[in-house]
Structures are given as C-alpha cells and as structure tokens.
Amino acid sequence: MTTEIVNNRDIGLLIGYAATDWAQPIKYEDYVSIAADWQVSVLIRDAEPIGAIFKRDGETHVSILPQWRRRWATKGLVKEILSDMRYTKVADGHDFMYGVLERLGFRRQPDGTVARES
C-alpha cells in the first residue's frame, strides 16, 4: 500500500469534515469558513482519500476517516507530516497519539497542547 500527501484543498476539506468527531456538529459551509486560512492537503492510500492534513503557522492537525484510524500511519509518513509542526492539540478519545508524538520529540504542555521539545 502506498500513501501519499496530495495538495488538493477541496477533497481535503471534504475528507477532514467527514473524519472529524464532532462534539457539536457544524455545517460544512461553516467548516470551510473556519479553515479558510489553513493549508489543506489530503492523504491518499492506493487512490483512496483516507484523511486530511491542516497546517497554519507551525500548527498541524490530521483528521483520519474512522475506518483508517490506527492503521494508516508509518513512521516515515508521520515524520513527513510533522516535519515543520511546532505544536498541535490531541482530540479527545485519541490519547494514543500522545505516545506517538512523544516518541517524535513532542511534549505535553500545561495548556493542553503538544509542542516540539527545544
């Protein structure tokens, strides 16, 4: 299986919206408006969109469709995605990501974010 990062904002937004675990759902139009100043890419595995990557000013978020969670990532791919990330926030219910991020040199901060250790 080959997974690649493709710069396709429209598909990335659709996949990111579908992959988000909404505590309080919002309309797709509002989601697009919120993401207006984010760089959005899509993760494609064997021609199938499986997730989206959102980047802005050193902050990075990854949204993965439920059926691909816990089986999409390789160490190399995660390193590529996070190469320029300075911080992020782990969504509720995804606590396993703390371990992944800590192994890559990130540490939990008092404000709830995870930041690259200097």
Side-chain angles (χ1 to χ4, degrees), residues 78-103:
V78 171
K79 280 186 172 186
E80 181 181 349
I81 292 168
L82 303 181
S83 65
D84 59 350
M85 183 179 90
R86 292 190 315 266
Y87 64 97
T88 192
K89 185 162 181 135
V90 174
D92 291 339
H94 300 275
D95 291 343
F96 68 94
M97 283 303 300
Y98 286 114
V100 172
L101 292 168
E102 286 172 357
R103 285 189 296 278

PDB file of all heavy atoms in Angstrom, residues 78-103:
ATOM      1  N   VAL A  78       4.468   9.881   9.163  1.00  0.00           N
ATOM      2  CA  VAL A  78       4.209  10.782  10.293  1.00  0.00           C
ATOM      3  C   VAL A  78       5.322  11.821  10.397  1.00  0.00           C
ATOM      4  O   VAL A  78       5.054  13.009  10.592  1.00  0.00           O
ATOM      5  CB  VAL A  78       4.050   9.987  11.608  1.00  0.00           C
ATOM      6  CG1 VAL A  78       4.005  10.923  12.805  1.00  0.00           C
ATOM      7  CG2 VAL A  78       2.793   9.127  11.559  1.00  0.00           C
ATOM      8  N   LYS A  79       6.565  11.403  10.236  1.00  0.00           N
ATOM      9  CA  LYS A  79       7.677  12.365  10.273  1.00  0.00           C
ATOM     10  C   LYS A  79       7.540  13.409   9.173  1.00  0.00           C
ATOM     11  O   LYS A  79       7.812  14.589   9.384  1.00  0.00           O
ATOM     12  CB  LYS A  79       9.013  11.638  10.158  1.00  0.00           C
ATOM     13  CG  LYS A  79       9.464  11.026  11.444  1.00  0.00           C
ATOM     14  CD  LYS A  79      10.857  10.446  11.286  1.00  0.00           C
ATOM     15  CE  LYS A  79      11.397  10.006  12.629  1.00  0.00           C
ATOM     16  NZ  LYS A  79      12.779   9.561  12.557  1.00  0.00           N
ATOM     17  N   GLU A  80       7.124  12.981   7.980  1.00  0.00           N
ATOM     18  CA  GLU A  80       6.936  13.927   6.875  1.00  0.00           C
ATOM     19  C   GLU A  80       5.840  14.938   7.197  1.00  0.00           C
ATOM     20  O   GLU A  80       5.997  16.136   6.995  1.00  0.00           O
ATOM     21  CB  GLU A  80       6.596  13.170   5.592  1.00  0.00           C
ATOM     22  CG  GLU A  80       6.402  14.065   4.388  1.00  0.00           C
ATOM     23  CD  GLU A  80       6.049  13.297   3.123  1.00  0.00           C
ATOM     24  OE1 GLU A  80       6.140  12.052   3.105  1.00  0.00           O
ATOM     25  OE2 GLU A  80       5.665  13.959   2.139  1.00  0.00           O
ATOM     26  N   ILE A  81       4.735  14.460   7.722  1.00  0.00           N
ATOM     27  CA  ILE A  81       3.609  15.340   8.050  1.00  0.00           C
ATOM     28  C   ILE A  81       3.996  16.338   9.132  1.00  0.00           C
ATOM     29  O   ILE A  81       3.643  17.514   9.071  1.00  0.00           O
ATOM     30  CB  ILE A  81       2.387  14.510   8.503  1.00  0.00           C
ATOM     31  CG1 ILE A  81       1.829  13.716   7.318  1.00  0.00           C
ATOM     32  CG2 ILE A  81       1.304  15.412   9.104  1.00  0.00           C
ATOM     33  CD1 ILE A  81       0.816  12.651   7.701  1.00  0.00           C
ATOM     34  N   LEU A  82       4.746  15.871  10.120  1.00  0.00           N
ATOM     35  CA  LEU A  82       5.065  16.700  11.273  1.00  0.00           C
ATOM     36  C   LEU A  82       6.398  17.442  11.149  1.00  0.00           C
ATOM     37  O   LEU A  82       6.827  18.099  12.094  1.00  0.00           O
ATOM     38  CB  LEU A  82       5.083  15.839  12.536  1.00  0.00           C
ATOM     39  CG  LEU A  82       3.801  15.061  12.830  1.00  0.00           C
ATOM     40  CD1 LEU A  82       3.949  14.275  14.128  1.00  0.00           C
ATOM     41  CD2 LEU A  82       2.588  15.973  12.876  1.00  0.00           C
ATOM     42  N   SER A  83       7.041  17.367  10.000  1.00  0.00           N
ATOM     43  CA  SER A  83       8.379  17.931   9.843  1.00  0.00           C
ATOM     44  C   SER A  83       8.484  19.412  10.224  1.00  0.00           C
ATOM     45  O   SER A  83       9.483  19.837  10.785  1.00  0.00           O
ATOM     46  CB  SER A  83       8.884  17.728   8.420  1.00  0.00           C
ATOM     47  OG  SER A  83       8.083  18.469   7.509  1.00  0.00           O
ATOM     48  N   ASP A  84       7.461  20.192   9.943  1.00  0.00           N
ATOM     49  CA  ASP A  84       7.520  21.615  10.271  1.00  0.00           C
ATOM     50  C   ASP A  84       6.532  22.003  11.369  1.00  0.00           C
ATOM     51  O   ASP A  84       6.294  23.165  11.619  1.00  0.00           O
ATOM     52  CB  ASP A  84       7.292  22.462   9.025  1.00  0.00           C
ATOM     53  CG  ASP A  84       5.949  22.190   8.358  1.00  0.00           C
ATOM     54  OD1 ASP A  84       5.270  21.213   8.745  1.00  0.00           O
ATOM     55  OD2 ASP A  84       5.578  22.941   7.452  1.00  0.00           O
ATOM     56  N   MET A  85       5.959  20.997  12.044  1.00  0.00           N
ATOM     57  CA  MET A  85       4.996  21.274  13.106  1.00  0.00           C
ATOM     58  C   MET A  85       5.710  21.699  14.374  1.00  0.00           C
ATOM     59  O   MET A  85       6.681  21.079  14.779  1.00  0.00           O
ATOM     60  CB  MET A  85       4.154  20.030  13.409  1.00  0.00           C
ATOM     61  CG  MET A  85       3.088  20.292  14.473  1.00  0.00           C
ATOM     62  SD  MET A  85       2.073  18.848  14.814  1.00  0.00           S
ATOM     63  CE  MET A  85       2.996  18.081  16.138  1.00  0.00           C
ATOM     64  N   ARG A  86       5.222  22.754  14.984  1.00  0.00           N
ATOM     65  CA  ARG A  86       5.734  23.183  16.279  1.00  0.00           C
ATOM     66  C   ARG A  86       4.787  22.761  17.398  1.00  0.00           C
ATOM     67  O   ARG A  86       5.215  22.500  18.508  1.00  0.00           O
ATOM     68  CB  ARG A  86       5.940  24.689  16.297  1.00  0.00           C
ATOM     69  CG  ARG A  86       7.074  25.134  15.372  1.00  0.00           C
ATOM     70  CD  ARG A  86       7.454  26.587  15.546  1.00  0.00           C
ATOM     71  NE  ARG A  86       6.353  27.524  15.638  1.00  0.00           N
ATOM     72  CZ  ARG A  86       5.832  28.209  14.613  1.00  0.00           C
ATOM     73  NH1 ARG A  86       6.332  28.062  13.407  1.00  0.00           N
ATOM     74  NH2 ARG A  86       4.840  29.055  14.797  1.00  0.00           N
ATOM     75  N   TYR A  87       3.473  22.714  17.106  1.00  0.00           N
ATOM     76  CA  TYR A  87       2.520  22.317  18.136  1.00  0.00           C
ATOM     77  C   TYR A  87       1.207  21.832  17.525  1.00  0.00           C
ATOM     78  O   TYR A  87       0.922  22.065  16.356  1.00  0.00           O
ATOM     79  CB  TYR A  87       2.258  23.468  19.117  1.00  0.00           C
ATOM     80  CG  TYR A  87       1.601  24.673  18.481  1.00  0.00           C
ATOM     81  CD1 TYR A  87       0.232  24.856  18.546  1.00  0.00           C
ATOM     82  CD2 TYR A  87       2.361  25.637  17.827  1.00  0.00           C
ATOM     83  CE1 TYR A  87      -0.363  25.958  17.967  1.00  0.00           C
ATOM     84  CE2 TYR A  87       1.779  26.744  17.255  1.00  0.00           C
ATOM     85  CZ  TYR A  87       0.412  26.901  17.332  1.00  0.00           C
ATOM     86  OH  TYR A  87      -0.177  27.989  16.750  1.00  0.00           O
ATOM     87  N   THR A  88       0.426  21.153  18.364  1.00  0.00           N
ATOM     88  CA  THR A  88      -0.897  20.675  17.984  1.00  0.00           C
ATOM     89  C   THR A  88      -1.678  20.407  19.258  1.00  0.00           C
ATOM     90  O   THR A  88      -1.176  20.606  20.365  1.00  0.00           O
ATOM     91  CB  THR A  88      -0.826  19.407  17.095  1.00  0.00           C
ATOM     92  OG1 THR A  88      -2.114  19.156  16.529  1.00  0.00           O
ATOM     93  CG2 THR A  88      -0.362  18.191  17.875  1.00  0.00           C
ATOM     94  N   LYS A  89      -2.892  19.953  19.112  1.00  0.00           N
ATOM     95  CA  LYS A  89      -3.721  19.540  20.240  1.00  0.00           C
ATOM     96  C   LYS A  89      -4.304  18.189  19.885  1.00  0.00           C
ATOM     97  O   LYS A  89      -4.795  17.992  18.779  1.00  0.00           O
ATOM     98  CB  LYS A  89      -4.817  20.561  20.517  1.00  0.00           C
ATOM     99  CG  LYS A  89      -5.614  20.229  21.744  1.00  0.00           C
ATOM    100  CD  LYS A  89      -6.378  21.414  22.268  1.00  0.00           C
ATOM    101  CE  LYS A  89      -7.105  20.980  23.503  1.00  0.00           C
ATOM    102  NZ  LYS A  89      -7.002  21.903  24.584  1.00  0.00           N
ATOM    103  N   VAL A  90      -4.252  17.256  20.817  1.00  0.00           N
ATOM    104  CA  VAL A  90      -4.789  15.917  20.594  1.00  0.00           C
ATOM    105  C   VAL A  90      -6.270  15.930  20.943  1.00  0.00           C
ATOM    106  O   VAL A  90      -6.660  16.381  22.023  1.00  0.00           O
ATOM    107  CB  VAL A  90      -4.033  14.873  21.448  1.00  0.00           C
ATOM    108  CG1 VAL A  90      -4.668  13.507  21.329  1.00  0.00           C
ATOM    109  CG2 VAL A  90      -2.556  14.828  21.044  1.00  0.00           C
ATOM    110  N   ALA A  91      -7.087  15.454  20.007  1.00  0.00           N
ATOM    111  CA  ALA A  91      -8.539  15.433  20.209  1.00  0.00           C
ATOM    112  C   ALA A  91      -8.919  14.408  21.276  1.00  0.00           C
ATOM    113  O   ALA A  91      -8.258  13.376  21.432  1.00  0.00           O
ATOM    114  CB  ALA A  91      -9.241  15.112  18.896  1.00  0.00           C
ATOM    115  N   ASP A  92      -9.984  14.696  22.003  1.00  0.00           N
ATOM    116  CA  ASP A  92     -10.499  13.753  22.988  1.00  0.00           C
ATOM    117  C   ASP A  92     -10.742  12.402  22.331  1.00  0.00           C
ATOM    118  O   ASP A  92     -11.221  12.329  21.202  1.00  0.00           O
ATOM    119  CB  ASP A  92     -11.809  14.275  23.590  1.00  0.00           C
ATOM    120  CG  ASP A  92     -11.607  15.508  24.465  1.00  0.00           C
ATOM    121  OD1 ASP A  92     -10.479  15.726  24.935  1.00  0.00           O
ATOM    122  OD2 ASP A  92     -12.594  16.246  24.676  1.00  0.00           O
ATOM    123  N   GLY A  93     -10.387  11.336  23.036  1.00  0.00           N
ATOM    124  CA  GLY A  93     -10.585   9.992  22.518  1.00  0.00           C
ATOM    125  C   GLY A  93      -9.433   9.475  21.679  1.00  0.00           C
ATOM    126  O   GLY A  93      -9.459   8.350  21.210  1.00  0.00           O
ATOM    127  N   HIS A  94      -8.424  10.297  21.461  1.00  0.00           N
ATOM    128  CA  HIS A  94      -7.268   9.911  20.648  1.00  0.00           C
ATOM    129  C   HIS A  94      -5.983   9.969  21.488  1.00  0.00           C
ATOM    130  O   HIS A  94      -4.926  10.337  20.997  1.00  0.00           O
ATOM    131  CB  HIS A  94      -7.157  10.813  19.413  1.00  0.00           C
ATOM    132  CG  HIS A  94      -8.357  10.740  18.536  1.00  0.00           C
ATOM    133  ND1 HIS A  94      -8.517   9.776  17.580  1.00  0.00           N
ATOM    134  CD2 HIS A  94      -9.485  11.490  18.505  1.00  0.00           C
ATOM    135  CE1 HIS A  94      -9.687   9.944  16.978  1.00  0.00           C
ATOM    136  NE2 HIS A  94     -10.285  10.971  17.524  1.00  0.00           N
ATOM    137  N   ASP A  95      -6.101   9.586  22.753  1.00  0.00           N
ATOM    138  CA  ASP A  95      -4.985   9.687  23.687  1.00  0.00           C
ATOM    139  C   ASP A  95      -3.754   8.896  23.256  1.00  0.00           C
ATOM    140  O   ASP A  95      -2.633   9.229  23.638  1.00  0.00           O
ATOM    141  CB  ASP A  95      -5.418   9.240  25.085  1.00  0.00           C
ATOM    142  CG  ASP A  95      -6.404  10.221  25.720  1.00  0.00           C
ATOM    143  OD1 ASP A  95      -6.499  11.363  25.251  1.00  0.00           O
ATOM    144  OD2 ASP A  95      -7.073   9.825  26.695  1.00  0.00           O
ATOM    145  N   PHE A  96      -3.942   7.850  22.442  1.00  0.00           N
ATOM    146  CA  PHE A  96      -2.800   7.075  21.962  1.00  0.00           C
ATOM    147  C   PHE A  96      -1.811   7.955  21.196  1.00  0.00           C
ATOM    148  O   PHE A  96      -0.621   7.644  21.113  1.00  0.00           O
ATOM    149  CB  PHE A  96      -3.257   5.905  21.076  1.00  0.00           C
ATOM    150  CG  PHE A  96      -3.855   6.338  19.768  1.00  0.00           C
ATOM    151  CD1 PHE A  96      -3.063   6.426  18.638  1.00  0.00           C
ATOM    152  CD2 PHE A  96      -5.190   6.675  19.686  1.00  0.00           C
ATOM    153  CE1 PHE A  96      -3.599   6.833  17.432  1.00  0.00           C
ATOM    154  CE2 PHE A  96      -5.743   7.083  18.479  1.00  0.00           C
ATOM    155  CZ  PHE A  96      -4.947   7.164  17.349  1.00  0.00           C
ATOM    156  N   MET A  97      -2.292   9.080  20.652  1.00  0.00           N
ATOM    157  CA  MET A  97      -1.411   9.971  19.889  1.00  0.00           C
ATOM    158  C   MET A  97      -0.365  10.655  20.765  1.00  0.00           C
ATOM    159  O   MET A  97       0.682  11.046  20.279  1.00  0.00           O
ATOM    160  CB  MET A  97      -2.226  11.024  19.136  1.00  0.00           C
ATOM    161  CG  MET A  97      -2.899  10.506  17.888  1.00  0.00           C
ATOM    162  SD  MET A  97      -1.755   9.761  16.695  1.00  0.00           S
ATOM    163  CE  MET A  97      -0.661  11.112  16.312  1.00  0.00           C
ATOM    164  N   TYR A  98      -0.637  10.787  22.075  1.00  0.00           N
ATOM    165  CA  TYR A  98       0.384  11.369  22.948  1.00  0.00           C
ATOM    166  C   TYR A  98       1.665  10.554  22.879  1.00  0.00           C
ATOM    167  O   TYR A  98       2.751  11.100  22.774  1.00  0.00           O
ATOM    168  CB  TYR A  98      -0.113  11.461  24.395  1.00  0.00           C
ATOM    169  CG  TYR A  98      -1.126  12.549  24.619  1.00  0.00           C
ATOM    170  CD1 TYR A  98      -2.429  12.234  24.969  1.00  0.00           C
ATOM    171  CD2 TYR A  98      -0.777  13.891  24.482  1.00  0.00           C
ATOM    172  CE1 TYR A  98      -3.372  13.232  25.189  1.00  0.00           C
ATOM    173  CE2 TYR A  98      -1.712  14.896  24.693  1.00  0.00           C
ATOM    174  CZ  TYR A  98      -3.007  14.557  25.048  1.00  0.00           C
ATOM    175  OH  TYR A  98      -3.934  15.543  25.241  1.00  0.00           O
ATOM    176  N   GLY A  99       1.555   9.229  22.942  1.00  0.00           N
ATOM    177  CA  GLY A  99       2.726   8.364  22.866  1.00  0.00           C
ATOM    178  C   GLY A  99       3.462   8.501  21.554  1.00  0.00           C
ATOM    179  O   GLY A  99       4.699   8.575  21.517  1.00  0.00           O
ATOM    180  N   VAL A 100       2.709   8.556  20.456  1.00  0.00           N
ATOM    181  CA  VAL A 100       3.311   8.714  19.128  1.00  0.00           C
ATOM    182  C   VAL A 100       4.083  10.025  19.066  1.00  0.00           C
ATOM    183  O   VAL A 100       5.246  10.069  18.650  1.00  0.00           O
ATOM    184  CB  VAL A 100       2.226   8.663  18.024  1.00  0.00           C
ATOM    185  CG1 VAL A 100       2.809   9.028  16.671  1.00  0.00           C
ATOM    186  CG2 VAL A 100       1.550   7.300  17.985  1.00  0.00           C
ATOM    187  N   LEU A 101       3.449  11.096  19.492  1.00  0.00           N
ATOM    188  CA  LEU A 101       4.083  12.412  19.431  1.00  0.00           C
ATOM    189  C   LEU A 101       5.278  12.522  20.382  1.00  0.00           C
ATOM    190  O   LEU A 101       6.298  13.119  20.036  1.00  0.00           O
ATOM    191  CB  LEU A 101       3.055  13.503  19.722  1.00  0.00           C
ATOM    192  CG  LEU A 101       1.985  13.669  18.643  1.00  0.00           C
ATOM    193  CD1 LEU A 101       0.854  14.548  19.133  1.00  0.00           C
ATOM    194  CD2 LEU A 101       2.575  14.200  17.356  1.00  0.00           C
ATOM    195  N   GLU A 102       5.165  11.916  21.562  1.00  0.00           N
ATOM    196  CA  GLU A 102       6.284  11.966  22.495  1.00  0.00           C
ATOM    197  C   GLU A 102       7.500  11.228  21.939  1.00  0.00           C
ATOM    198  O   GLU A 102       8.631  11.674  22.110  1.00  0.00           O
ATOM    199  CB  GLU A 102       5.853  11.419  23.854  1.00  0.00           C
ATOM    200  CG  GLU A 102       4.962  12.408  24.582  1.00  0.00           C
ATOM    201  CD  GLU A 102       4.332  11.861  25.855  1.00  0.00           C
ATOM    202  OE1 GLU A 102       4.531  10.670  26.190  1.00  0.00           O
ATOM    203  OE2 GLU A 102       3.618  12.645  26.514  1.00  0.00           O
ATOM    204  N   ARG A 103       7.288  10.110  21.246  1.00  0.00           N
ATOM    205  CA  ARG A 103       8.412   9.387  20.642  1.00  0.00           C
ATOM    206  C   ARG A 103       9.079  10.209  19.539  1.00  0.00           C
ATOM    207  O   ARG A 103      10.234   9.972  19.193  1.00  0.00           O
ATOM    208  CB  ARG A 103       7.933   8.036  20.094  1.00  0.00           C
ATOM    209  CG  ARG A 103       7.677   7.017  21.196  1.00  0.00           C
ATOM    210  CD  ARG A 103       7.427   5.627  20.650  1.00  0.00           C
ATOM    211  NE  ARG A 103       6.244   5.491  19.840  1.00  0.00           N
ATOM    212  CZ  ARG A 103       4.993   5.322  20.310  1.00  0.00           C
ATOM    213  NH1 ARG A 103       4.775   5.278  21.606  1.00  0.00           N
ATOM    214  NH2 ARG A 103       3.981   5.188  19.489  1.00  0.00           N
TER     215      ARG A 103
END
